[in-house]
Amino acid sequence: EDAYQSWAGGFWSTMLSNLNNRQNLYLFGEVLPDNGDNDQIYTNYFDITAHGYTSTVYNAVNNGNLTGLHTIWHYDHELNPTDALVYVENHDSYENGVSSFLSNWTLKMSNAILIARANVTPRVFDRPGSSNDVWNDADIIAVNHFHNAMVGQSEYMRNPESDVLIIERGTKGATIVNVGGDTNISSPTNIQNGSYPNHASAQTTITVSNGTLSGYIPGGSIVVLYEGSTPQPPDAPTGVSASAASSSAIDVSWNASSGATSYEVFY
């Protein structure tokens, strides 16, 4: 796309303006990441493939270090998630041997990270052969349900440990990816108080109380938490005190409880 150049044409604007039912189509294109890719212009027309993020994610999984995955780089600059088609591999990388060495476990853990994220559009490649159906894995199905349930929710990514990534979506839920060994985590969170059984296959229950998410995460597993679990009421306020303000009034104060939106005072 040679926008702003003297020789620029109007190919994309002309072609796309003549598409029928364009508002109901998902449009994306491959823009190779290099110094002159001009992807900022292409994103005016369609989402673009986030090539660089592909190896960033699967290398992080294989190296057991899930830090630094928030930014989606496209060569030397950041790609807005709303403009990105993300994937672990595609037909080219598989056929050319660039990604065919990746194990099913690496594919699953990497795809879980991509699918759980906000605003991006994820794509899961179906490798040839019935033994490679990562797209049909129970954990990936669970994260897909999470993805659909979290539409419109904000994103906050945390690393309670370098090999554990928590992808929170608003106050509604989170996907936790653990590429290390068994661990017990305790992490700040925005998720509402509750006891959350895992919607994926690992046997565990996560508790959220007063802004802290805690629980056992089995090694090499995916944990999916969201509404529809068992929400619990906020804890009782602490530090309650009362003092006479006048002959007819009392001042009452307390420490706020995480998850509480209002309080009732009885006298």
Side-chain angles (χ1 to χ4, degrees), residues 183-186 204-207 213-217:
T183 188
N184 287 284
I185 64 170
S186 179
T204 188
T205 296
I206 303 299
T207 300
L213 180 152
S214 58
Y216 167 69
I217 311 294

Side-chain angles (χ1 to χ4, degrees), residues 211-236:
T212 299
L213 180 152
S214 58
Y216 167 69
I217 311 294
S221 70
I222 297 166
V223 174
V224 179
L225 321 169
Y226 57 93
E227 281 187 331
S229 300
T230 310
Q232 299 294 320
D235 293 335

Side-chain angles (χ1 to χ4, degrees), residues 237-244 250-255:
T238 60
V240 179
S241 65
S243 60
I250 299 175
D251 285 336
V252 180
S253 64
W254 60 85
N255 298 323

Side-chain angles (χ1 to χ4, degrees), residues 110-195:
S110 302
N111 275 304
I113 292 170
L114 299 181
I115 296 168
R117 294 207 55 182
N119 299 318
V120 298
T121 300
R123 179 178 65 179
V124 181
F125 178 64
D126 182 15
R127 285 181 168 183
S130 59
S131 64
N132 295 315
D133 288 340
V134 172
W135 66 272
N136 200 32
D137 182 274
D139 290 339
I140 292 299
I141 291 172
V143 183
N144 270 320
H145 287 311
F146 173 85
H147 174 90
N148 293 334
M150 295 298 115
V151 170
Q153 297 297 319
S154 59
E155 175 186 271
Y156 198 97
M157 298 172 69
R158 306 177 192 268
N159 293 100
E161 301 170 9
S162 63
D163 51 11
V164 177
L165 174 63
I166 303 175
I167 303 174
E168 293 185 12
R169 299 296 302 277
T171 63
K172 303 297 184 182
T175 289
I176 306 172
V177 178
N178 177 14
V179 297
D182 295 355
T183 188
N184 287 284
I185 64 170
S186 179
S187 172
T189 187
N190 296 318
I191 301 172
Q192 61 187 349
N193 285 355
S195 178

